[in-house]
Amino acid sequence: MKTGGYLILTAFLALASCTLAFDPSPLQDFCVAINDTKMGVFVNGKFCKDPKLVSANDFFFSLKQGNTSNPLGFKVTPASVNEILGLNTLGMSLARIDFAPKGLNPPHTHPRGTEILVVLEGTLYVGFVTSNPENRLITKVLNKGDVFVFPIGLIHFQFNVGYANAVAISGLSSQNPGVITIANSVFGSNPRISKEVLTKAFQVDNRIVDNLEKQFRWNNN
């Protein structure tokens, strides 16, 4: 089998595990999401389009190369229910992650989904940290064709340790897994977290907190 075919097969086999989804199982074949509704009822998910109005485009999205010209040198292009309306109630999604040389997808969590990552190009140093009190770091260097799993809710990262661009595909066990980037959330919250809280939590002075807030008040998503 050619290398390209192997990588595609590996990616699909890895993403197939997402069918054991974390989200509740659907009660119908599909429920294509619709954002335009006159109903004011809140639901945990999306409203459903009339099945008679569903088309192939409701299940389609193109994962194009992302722009990595930012301070961290990475770009995540999600394919969740917000991009593919046909994913509503199906309990899975994926994302493409592009890395510039030495690009970093910084420590973050997905509160609603386990992630399985397939490296398509390049070499990535990846890892996650277990919960308190152990806080054990589990890491691995991944090469083209390798697969790694990040359990739901745990802090994890991916770092391009190579000198060329890298690309990975992530499958997630939720139609809308969410993402919390740790540094951005702590030092870039709106409104800001009290300096008294941050200085005590990190055992640093106000000047360091001020500097960190300046660094992380930008959107890297």
Side-chain angles (χ1 to χ4, degrees):
M1 182 181 293
K2 293 182 179 180
T3 302
Y6 167 77
L7 288 176
I8 293 173
L9 177 60
T10 301
F12 273 98
L13 289 175
L15 298 178
S17 66
C18 291
T19 57
L20 299 176
F22 179 79
D23 291 347
S25 298
L27 298 177
Q28 62 283 323
D29 289 341
F30 52 78
C31 173
V32 173
I34 182 170
N35 294 318
D36 182 16
T37 176
K38 294 181 174 62
M39 300 295 293
V41 180
F42 177 80
V43 295
N44 185 18
K46 300 280 187 178
F47 290 96
C48 300
K49 179 186 285 190
D50 183 339
K52 296 177 182 177
L53 303 178
V54 167
S55 71
N57 284 335
D58 292 318
F59 301 91
F60 171 81
F61 183 70
S62 182
L63 280 175
K64 297 181 179 179
Q65 182 176 358
N67 183 1
T68 59
S69 59
N70 56 66
L72 292 179
F74 88 108
K75 176 64 178 178
V76 175
T77 304
S80 67
V81 69
N82 297 315
E83 291 75 32
I84 307 176
L85 298 178
L87 281 175
N88 194 36
T89 76
L90 298 185
M92 64 183 298
S93 61
L94 56 80
R96 170 178 173 147
I97 313 174
D98 288 280
F99 300 86
K102 303 303 178 181
L104 170 69
N105 188 1
H108 63 281
T109 72
H110 300 293
R112 296 181 293 275
T114 290
E115 176 180 354
I116 183 167
L117 180 133
V118 185
V119 179
L120 299 186
E121 297 291 344
T123 302
L124 298 178
Y125 168 63
V126 306
F128 64 86
V129 181
T130 64
S131 55
N132 296 343
E134 291 84 5
N135 293 322
R136 181 185 173 201
L137 175 62
I138 297 176
T139 64
K140 186 77 173 176
V141 174
L142 306 181
N143 295 299
K144 185 175 180 178
D146 289 343
V147 178
F148 196 81
V149 173
F150 306 99
I152 183 172
L154 297 185
I155 295 173
H156 59 282
F157 62 87
Q158 299 107 24
F159 178 50
N160 180 7
V161 294
Y163 294 92
N165 293 336
V167 183
I169 296 291
S170 288
L172 297 120
S173 62
S174 171
Q175 69 180 45
N176 188 20
V179 60
I180 301 171
T181 306
I182 308 306
N184 292 46
S185 297
V186 174
F187 296 105
S189 67
N190 184 21
R192 298 184 181 186
I193 297 174
S194 164
K195 279 192 174 59
E196 185 177 4
V197 171
L198 295 179
T199 55
K200 192 172 185 64
F202 292 95
Q203 297 294 289
V204 296
D205 61 34
N206 283 336
R207 291 173 299 174
I208 294 177
V209 171
D210 287 338
N211 184 56
L212 288 169
E213 287 183 332
K214 291 177 183 177
Q215 297 298 319
F216 293 104
R217 285 196 170 276
W218 60 280
N219 184 3
N220 64 348
N221 296 313

